[in-house]
Amino acid sequence: MSDGLGFSLAQLRYFVVSAEVGNISEAAERLCASQSTVSSAVMRLERQLGVQLLLRHHARGVTLTPSGRHLLREARDLLGRARNLKARGDALAGGAVGRLDVGFLASLAPFLLPGVHRLARQRYADLRLTFHEEPADRLAALLGEGRCELAVTYDFLAGDARFHALAEMPVHAVLAEDDPLGGSGPVELAALAARPLITPNTPDDIRHAEKLFADAGVALPRVIGATSVETVRGLVAAGSGFALMHQRGRATTTLDGGRVRTVGIADDLPPASLGVAMMPGLAMSGRGMAFLDVLGSVVPAGPSGPAGPPHPALGRASP
């Protein structure tokens, strides 16, 4: 689709320099172009704008016409804006400077985001992070719309995005502190399934729970949905059921004063990979690399250890 302008920034530059020095030949030397190239470019610009910009004087160079004098300032302003745009693009691509929009899976944000924000301020003073806490489907939309460069999520929620794993996170159970199942080591899902499962009330979380129970050959128990991880923990502490989580919090006390404990799962369930998702074909910016540096220092290694340093291209496709 044509932009309807018909002229280029190069033509504007040739016109401005020619007007400033008053001579096509001298302008060509400054522009490292031939005299015929500069002269032809200015004449094409005049045809495309529909006005004469320069008066040509044999052996005496060029002078501005009244129309050319009116348009010279605007041409200079447009070229200045173009230079600023180029400089801004260079800065965005080359360093940890400016704003970076990052998506965070809502259930992960309470465990990782505070530490990421604190460490980013220490390491990259000129990096301004803007976080978007969303469920998995909204994260995919933010990436697809270009509103976020990266999204912190799990591999099974990355969809069509490229995914780079930072750590393997085994699943564990969250029980009330006084729950008798929590005092004898890892527990089987079949034993847990005698009570309700409390989980964030999103389709992705519920589907993931269904898969975990299906992999273990255990029927999914009654599900109680909650809107946040902290509400899930509070309901567990109150004895309303149990939760399954890949992330492990340090605090055992809930906001209302209840207490929870984490217990391993005896069933052989696959871990989830925690990492970052990014749209295919998008080159990693300097700001993005700085964020990955910080995130890699905050993400817990897990029993399998870190999954390796982030590659600038994030070239591994999600399964």
Side-chain angles (χ1 to χ4, degrees), residues 172-259:
H172 62 270
V174 182
L175 303 173
E177 185 181 53
D178 58 357
D179 192 313
L181 279 180
S184 57
V187 61
E188 294 184 351
L189 282 185
L192 291 170
R195 63 201 71 190
L197 169 68
I198 305 172
T199 183
N201 193 23
T202 71
D204 290 305
D205 285 294
I206 294 173
R207 279 195 295 268
H208 184 52
E210 291 173 346
K211 184 177 185 306
L212 289 175
F213 277 87
D215 288 345
V218 178
L220 183 73
R222 181 167 69 91
V223 174
I224 298 176
T227 58
S228 72
V229 170
E230 190 53 44
T231 303
V232 169
R233 295 176 75 248
L235 288 170
V236 168
S240 300
F242 73 99
L244 296 177
M245 294 186 180
H246 290 283
Q247 63 274 16
R248 184 186 295 264
R250 295 181 181 179
T252 59
T253 304
T254 62
L255 291 180
D256 66 342
R259 298 185 69 86

Side-chain angles (χ1 to χ4, degrees), residues 97-225:
V97 178
R99 172 172 167 168
L100 177 69
D101 286 81
V102 178
F104 254 93
L105 186 66
S107 60
L108 277 173
F111 298 91
L112 299 177
L113 198 155
V116 166
H117 198 266
R118 179 177 60 251
L119 191 57
R121 293 199 312 270
Q122 296 172 1
R123 291 187 183 176
Y124 302 100
D126 295 325
L127 180 64
R128 293 185 294 109
L129 294 175
T130 300
F131 298 110
H132 304 262
E133 298 178 58
E134 300 286 352
D137 58 341
R138 278 298 302 152
L139 286 185
L142 291 176
L143 288 176
E145 295 165 3
R147 295 179 60 190
C148 286
E149 182 173 322
L150 302 170
V152 182
T153 185
Y154 290 116
D155 56 347
F156 61 87
L157 297 174
D160 295 330
R162 285 181 297 162
F163 184 81
H164 178 83
L166 293 175
E168 296 295 307
M169 309 292 287
V171 64
H172 62 270
V174 182
L175 303 173
E177 185 181 53
D178 58 357
D179 192 313
L181 279 180
S184 57
V187 61
E188 294 184 351
L189 282 185
L192 291 170
R195 63 201 71 190
L197 169 68
I198 305 172
T199 183
N201 193 23
T202 71
D204 290 305
D205 285 294
I206 294 173
R207 279 195 295 268
H208 184 52
E210 291 173 346
K211 184 177 185 306
L212 289 175
F213 277 87
D215 288 345
V218 178
L220 183 73
R222 181 167 69 91
V223 174
I224 298 176

